[in-house]
Amino acid sequence: MDFSFSEDQRSLVQGARAYFSGRYGPEVLRRLDLDGLCNPEIWKGLTEMGLTGLLVPSEQGGMGMGLVEGALIAAECGRVALAEPLVDTALIAVPWLISRGDTEALAKIAAGEKRVAISHVINPWLNDGDGTPLESIDPLRHLTTVEDAENDPFLLDLGALMSAAQLIGVGDAMLSQAVEYAKIRTQFGQPIGAFQAIKHQLANCVGAIEFAKPVVWRAAQAMQDALPLAPVHVSHAKFAATDAATLTAETAIQVHGAMGYTYEVDLHFWMKRCWALAGAWGDRAFHLRRIDHAVLGGEGNKWPLAIGPEHTFS
Amino acid sequence: MQLTYTPEQEAFRADVRAWMQANVPREPLATLECREGYDQHVAWERTLASDNWGMVTWPEAYGGRGLDLIQWLIFEEEYFRANAPNRANQNGIFLLGPTIMEYGTEEQKQRFLKPMAKGEVIWAQAWSEPGAGSDLAAISSRGVRDGDHYVLTGQKTWSSRAAFADWGFGIFRTEPNSKRHKGLSFILFDLNTPGITRRPIRQLHGEAGFAELFFDDVRVPVENRLAGEGEGWNVAMATAGFERGLMLRSPGRFQATAKQLIDLYRKHESHASPGAREAVIQAWGAAQAYAYNTYAVAAKIIAGGKIGAEASLNKIFWSELDRTMHRTAMQLLGAQAELKRFADGTLNHWLEGYIFSLSGPIYAGSNEIQRNIIAERLLGLPRLGAG
């Protein structure tokens, strides 16, 4: 029993965070938003970092990592509100293709030559497709319609897990933007962050995010270990991460005051990502129903969840 | 990350389970906050100690079993699975004990830890004063050095367990005219020392779980001081960290409550609101989240890390979860919620639990203070007036 990340996992995160934060600041997001284009150089950079092939087996030229590492990188993508659909291709499509024994595209994905996004009936569009465009409130998600969406539960769980992980990073980022603003904005002769009315709201966000994190990591490990109850843990993760990020988004705009309502302040990129991901791959109600079924399902329960102090990891 | 138990850990769980099955009292004990219940709970402490279950993480030399924090968590899970009684000595084993382990001399460890683990000496904490609650650094009780003794004067209040306990610990101003966090010392005292008057405080439910303490020239030997003279604040904050952080409220307690709440919901499903149903589902999720987080904290400490201001996150989380779960239970009980005993004579433990849960966000540092700590120490926000 060891609920901690390995040295390798920690350095993977540190490496990705250093790479992203040096290159994909808000100025990049603004340029992409204004140009309405993806910059191919960015995908090239992600490929060189090995991130497109993170979960691709080494035989196909990837790093052969697992879903825990995938979730950790998804959180880093959320932290920078990455515009490129790296999560859709590398962290959702790749493990789904592997689960189906469909390895044909993997080498090209790892090499950065191919992007694959898979649509699920629960959200029948693609973030990165070539159908008719649909306009998302998140200007950095390029949604298009699809003809045929999949209806595979494993795909749904992958999408939900990686969305939950992104929401953790999105929440962390919004919180630190609000905190930095509260330190520099002064009123009544004080930084507004000195007032308890601000402090306590931000402290609530820390609590929500910090207690959602272990739920997400536990879900990632459960999926990686292919536990029969992994879908329940994924729903718990998506539910907790959605609530934490939503609370943080609303708190962050409130702390920014009227500035938070402007395009000029960066917050809105993360807030819009939060809104999009909150509903993607199963919304709050969908995941609550799945947990409800496991906890209160009674006879014929598809996910007979053992409940009680001795069942923390049952 | 390895989220499965080793065979040794599973075997340990089986040992604890078997012991609990054989030893946990069949009938619930009277409340810890009356004389009869206190005595029953002390007897239970001694039963635990008779097989060295008093505090499993302590070295064997001090009456423990020398186990790690994962085994402690397993022990706690089985403890709450068995619905074992509350710990009369929680101030000792969970708060003062770890503090002595960190700051005590070898002589103090020998002197205090073993009787604590054995349930022979029950401890009360004595921090708050009438003028120093959330603003603990405003304390004014004094300890004046007189040869090899301190002479304590002043008043402490809300002293948990002090109505019946044997010994107490608290901080006293040992440097005359010192201000705020400076000049305080952490002192342990026998509650039966001449000059100490205890006045039990009747709580809103009618029992007296805490007390006021009056110190009238109470002579306490200098060797009862923990750590150096004037270092009391830092020692007290370490104790507070243990209180808020890991030990005082292990996850098993809340997982057990969540499970009981789920059972209660099934009984009352026909007239429950959709909101109550969602609250029940969330109770399971939140109790599990608290458990995962505690395992993560344990892993961090085992790897040599420390728990700092994050302890405040835990304290807010468990205290507000406990209140929410009990509030939900009261809603499910509807008209029956007000009954101290149901028509069939069984105790309405939800009512008792709800009343107790209202104290959680207040004791161990009010949740407002915890939110300040999080904002200032974890987020780096400025103190009011410092800008």
Side-chain angles (χ1 to χ4, degrees), chain B residues 33-165:
Chain B
E33 300 182 334
C34 69
R35 181 83 240 178
E36 180 200 2
Y38 176 84
D39 290 342
Q40 291 173 352
H41 281 82
V42 172
W44 165 247
E45 288 291 326
R46 292 177 187 165
T47 305
L48 279 168
S50 66
D51 282 318
N52 287 353
W53 294 116
M55 194 56 210
V56 295
T57 53
W58 292 4
E60 288 175 39
Y62 305 134
R65 288 173 170 246
L67 303 182
D68 68 20
L69 284 173
I70 301 301
Q71 287 162 307
W72 173 72
L73 281 165
I74 294 170
F75 171 80
E76 289 280 306
E77 287 172 351
E78 292 301 319
Y79 192 91
F80 287 101
R81 176 185 180 276
N83 201 19
N86 286 332
R87 299 295 301 266
N89 215 8
Q90 65 180 26
N91 292 312
I93 52 175
F94 295 146
L95 310 183
L96 180 61
T99 314
I100 292 179
M101 210 72 83
E102 189 162 331
Y103 292 97
T105 61
E106 188 50 43
E107 191 271 334
Q108 288 174 324
K109 291 179 191 175
Q110 293 291 350
R111 184 173 159 210
F112 293 114
L113 293 178
K114 208 159 179 176
M116 193 186 287
K118 291 218 153 299
E120 288 162 2
V121 174
I122 305 296
W123 287 83
Q125 57 168 312
W127 288 0
S128 295
E129 297 181 3
S134 283
D135 185 10
L136 187 62
I139 68 164
S140 62
S141 290
R142 283 175 301 140
V144 177
R145 187 74 177 256
D146 178 23
D148 53 3
H149 281 71
Y150 288 109
V151 180
L152 306 182
T153 55
Q155 181 186 352
K156 297 282 180 184
T157 191
W158 318 133
S159 180
S160 302
R161 297 281 84 79
F164 309 115

Side-chain angles (χ1 to χ4, degrees), chain A residues 51-314:
Chain A
L51 295 173
T52 54
L54 188 78
L55 305 186
V56 172
S58 49
E59 305 88 80
Q60 279 96 19
M63 292 169 79
M65 291 194 182
L67 292 174
V68 173
E69 288 82 4
L72 285 168
I73 292 300
E76 294 313 308
C77 295
R79 192 179 304 281
V80 292
L82 188 71
E84 268 52 38
L86 179 70
V87 174
D88 299 79
T89 288
L91 307 180
I92 299 173
V94 165
W96 186 68
L97 291 170
I98 293 172
S99 76
R100 297 167 71 84
D102 184 353
T103 55
E104 198 190 317
L106 297 182
K108 284 192 165 168
I109 292 173
E113 292 157 11
K114 192 174 172 69
R115 298 185 344 194
V116 178
I118 316 279
S119 180
H120 189 278
V121 289
I122 204 159
N123 29 223
W125 44 76
L126 285 173
N127 180 22
D128 194 24
D130 44 19
T132 313
L134 291 166
E135 199 178 353
S136 167
I137 181 62
D138 180 350
L140 306 175
R141 276 163 68 84
H142 298 282
L143 302 186
T144 64
T145 57
V146 286
E147 295 293 314
D148 296 303
E150 299 288 339
N151 192 13
D152 179 52
F154 184 66
L155 175 63
L156 177 101
D157 288 336
L158 284 169
L161 172 68
M162 295 306 170
S163 301
Q166 286 177 88
L167 282 164
I168 292 296
V170 168
D172 266 344
M174 292 188 295
L175 176 62
S176 58
Q177 289 166 29
V179 166
E180 290 315 306
Y181 186 77
K183 286 178 188 170
I184 56 164
R185 169 67 178 164
T186 59
Q187 285 287 273
F188 305 102
Q190 302 274 340
I192 59 169
F195 296 114
Q196 289 188 335
I198 300 290
K199 279 182 173 151
H200 290 194
Q201 291 191 61
L202 293 170
N204 288 344
C205 298
V206 184
I209 296 170
E210 292 307 314
F211 281 93
K213 281 177 186 172
V215 180
V216 174
W217 311 139
R218 198 261 152 108
Q221 187 70 49
M223 278 202 80
Q224 185 162 312
D225 296 343
L227 299 186
L229 285 168
V232 181
H233 298 304
V234 168
S235 282
H236 187 193
K238 181 77 193 317
F239 183 86
T242 298
D243 277 2
T246 304
L247 172 73
T248 307
E250 291 181 358
T251 305
I253 187 172
Q254 185 68 24
V255 167
H256 278 85
M259 284 306 291
Y261 214 78
T262 66
Y263 186 85
E264 180 191 337
V265 162
D266 300 323
L267 176 67
H268 64 93
F269 287 111
W270 280 263
M271 206 158 48
K272 290 165 182 169
R273 184 65 50 85
C274 169
W275 298 338
L277 292 174
W281 299 99
D283 61 11
R284 189 178 185 281
F286 174 86
H287 290 291
L288 182 65
R289 272 200 307 279
R290 293 212 312 184
I291 307 168
D292 182 309
H293 178 75
V295 172
L296 290 172
E299 297 287 318
N301 192 338
K302 176 159 66 152
W303 295 304
L305 186 67
I307 292 170
E310 73 278 29
H311 293 302
T312 304
F313 294 102
S314 295

Side-chain angles (χ1 to χ4, degrees), chain A residues 1-5 179 183 190 194 196 199-200 204 211 218 236 284 292 295 305 307 309-310 312, chain B residues 1-2 4 77-78 81 255 259 266 277-278 284-285 288 292 314 368 371-372 376 379-380 382 385:
Chain A
M1 180 58 62
D2 180 13
F3 205 129
S4 68
F5 295 114
V179 166
K183 286 178 188 170
Q190 302 274 340
Q196 289 188 335
K199 279 182 173 151
H200 290 194
N204 288 344
F211 281 93
R218 198 261 152 108
H236 187 193
R284 189 178 185 281
D292 182 309
V295 172
L305 186 67
I307 292 170
E310 73 278 29
T312 304
Chain B
M1 191 148 35
Q2 173 70 43
T4 51
E77 287 172 351
E78 292 301 319
R81 176 185 180 276
Q255 290 168 300
K259 184 182 164 76
R266 289 191 205 282
R277 186 175 181 110
E278 182 167 337
W284 171 80
Q288 285 290 107
Y292 303 154
N314 291 4
E368 287 72 23
R371 286 184 165 89
N372 288 351
E376 288 165 18
L379 299 179

Side-chain angles (χ1 to χ4, degrees), chain B residues 121-314:
Chain B
V121 174
I122 305 296
W123 287 83
Q125 57 168 312
W127 288 0
S128 295
E129 297 181 3
S134 283
D135 185 10
L136 187 62
I139 68 164
S140 62
S141 290
R142 283 175 301 140
V144 177
R145 187 74 177 256
D146 178 23
D148 53 3
H149 281 71
Y150 288 109
V151 180
L152 306 182
T153 55
Q155 181 186 352
K156 297 282 180 184
T157 191
W158 318 133
S159 180
S160 302
R161 297 281 84 79
F164 309 115
D166 306 300
W167 274 68
F169 57 92
I171 42 178
F172 294 82
R173 205 161 282 290
T174 49
E175 189 188 319
N177 304 318
S178 60
K179 293 268 182 287
R180 306 291 300 161
H181 314 84
K182 298 201 174 75
L184 301 167
S185 296
F186 196 108
I187 294 174
L188 318 179
F189 47 89
D190 184 337
L191 277 163
N192 293 316
T193 313
I196 295 181
T197 308
R198 325 183 194 195
R199 197 173 73 82
I201 299 169
R202 193 167 182 232
Q203 297 176 346
L204 60 91
H205 50 59
E207 305 286 0
F210 49 41
E212 284 180 292
L213 295 174
F214 298 89
F215 297 84
D216 245 329
D217 294 335
V218 177
R219 293 183 70 81
V220 174
V222 168
E223 65 257 28
N224 286 14
R225 187 192 66 222
L226 202 55
E229 191 168 89
E231 291 171 18
W233 182 262
N234 288 340
V235 184
M237 288 306 101
T239 311
F242 294 123
E243 181 170 28
R244 293 162 191 163
L246 194 61
M247 290 259 157
L248 179 64
R249 294 288 178 249
S250 75
R253 181 187 179 107
F254 307 104
Q255 290 168 300
T257 305
K259 184 182 164 76
Q260 288 165 15
L261 184 62
I262 290 164
D263 292 340
L264 186 75
Y265 178 82
R266 289 191 205 282
K267 266 200 240 169
H268 295 268
E269 189 166 359
S270 61
H271 61 263
S273 73
R277 186 175 181 110
E278 182 167 337
V280 170
I281 305 302
Q282 290 218 44
W284 171 80
Q288 285 290 107
Y290 184 57
Y292 303 154
N293 188 65
T294 305
Y295 271 89
V297 171
K300 186 178 162 189
I301 293 174
I302 289 170
K306 277 194 180 284
I307 177 165
E310 303 94 314
S312 294
L313 291 170
N314 291 4

